[in-house]
Amino acid sequence: MYLLAPYVDEKCELIFQVNYFNTLSLTNTIKEFWPLSKVLLTIHYFEWCFDLKGNTSAFRRILHKSSDLTREETMLLEQYKKDRILMESVDCVICLSEYTQKLLLADYNLNPNQVCLAYNGLED
C-alpha cells in the first residue's frame, strides 16, 4: 500500500478485491489512502466450516448459545464477529453460491444490497 500510494492520486476511484477474511487492516488502509475507492470481498470459504465440517446447524447453535461455551466455540464465535466486521466494512461481498448468500443474509445479517452472487466460471 505504502509503495503504491505515492503513484496513485487519492482522488482516483479504484476497485480493490480481497479474497481472504484476515484483511480488515488492509481494507481500512485502502479506504484511508483512497476514500473514493471500492473494496470487494470474495468469499471462498468460512473458517468455521473446517472446524465444524460444514455443519451449519452446529454453527447456528454456537451463535445462539449464551453461556457454557467451550474454548473452541469461543474461538469460532470470535472469528464470526471479526468476519462480520470485515464484511460490514467493505462495499460489496461476493459469494459463489446461493447457499453462501443465504448464510450471509440470515446468519451474518448483511444488507442484501451489499451481497452479490457470482457463480464460479467452471462447470462441474
Side-chain angles (χ1 to χ4, degrees):
M1 198 65 53
Y2 294 98
L3 295 173
L4 186 59
Y7 304 102
V8 180
D9 186 349
E10 70 179 37
K11 295 180 181 111
C12 282
E13 295 180 23
L14 304 170
I15 298 174
F16 293 87
Q17 181 180 4
V18 294
N19 291 291
Y20 300 100
F21 278 107
N22 294 327
T23 57
L24 184 60
S25 62
L26 174 64
T27 58
N28 288 340
T29 303
I30 289 169
K31 297 232 175 223
E32 178 185 324
F33 276 88
W34 299 287
L36 301 177
S37 68
K38 301 291 183 200
V39 179
L40 315 176
L41 168 66
T42 302
I43 297 179
H44 297 279
Y45 62 89
F46 293 103
E47 236 5 91
W48 61 263
C49 284
F50 295 112
D51 297 324
L52 299 177
K53 298 177 178 57
N55 187 336
T56 307
S57 297
F59 173 67
R60 288 180 174 145
R61 276 194 300 275
I62 292 168
L63 291 182
H64 295 91
K65 202 172 182 182
S66 59
S67 62
D68 298 324
L69 290 167
T70 66
R71 183 174 184 269
E72 291 80 19
E73 290 171 337
T74 301
M75 290 173 56
L76 287 173
L77 192 56
E78 288 304 312
Q79 185 62 49
Y80 164 81
K81 290 175 183 177
K82 288 178 186 177
D83 293 348
R84 273 200 67 209
I85 290 169
L86 173 64
M87 288 188 275
E88 290 171 350
S89 74
V90 299
D91 297 289
C92 180
V93 178
I94 301 169
C95 53
L96 307 176
S97 70
E98 289 178 26
Y99 186 76
T100 302
Q101 183 182 36
K102 289 175 184 175
L103 276 170
L104 294 174
L105 299 176
D107 299 306
Y108 288 85
N109 301 311
L110 293 184
N111 180 336
N113 296 326
Q114 186 186 11
V115 177
C116 176
L117 176 60
Y119 296 107
N120 274 324
L122 300 176
E123 292 184 29
D124 289 339

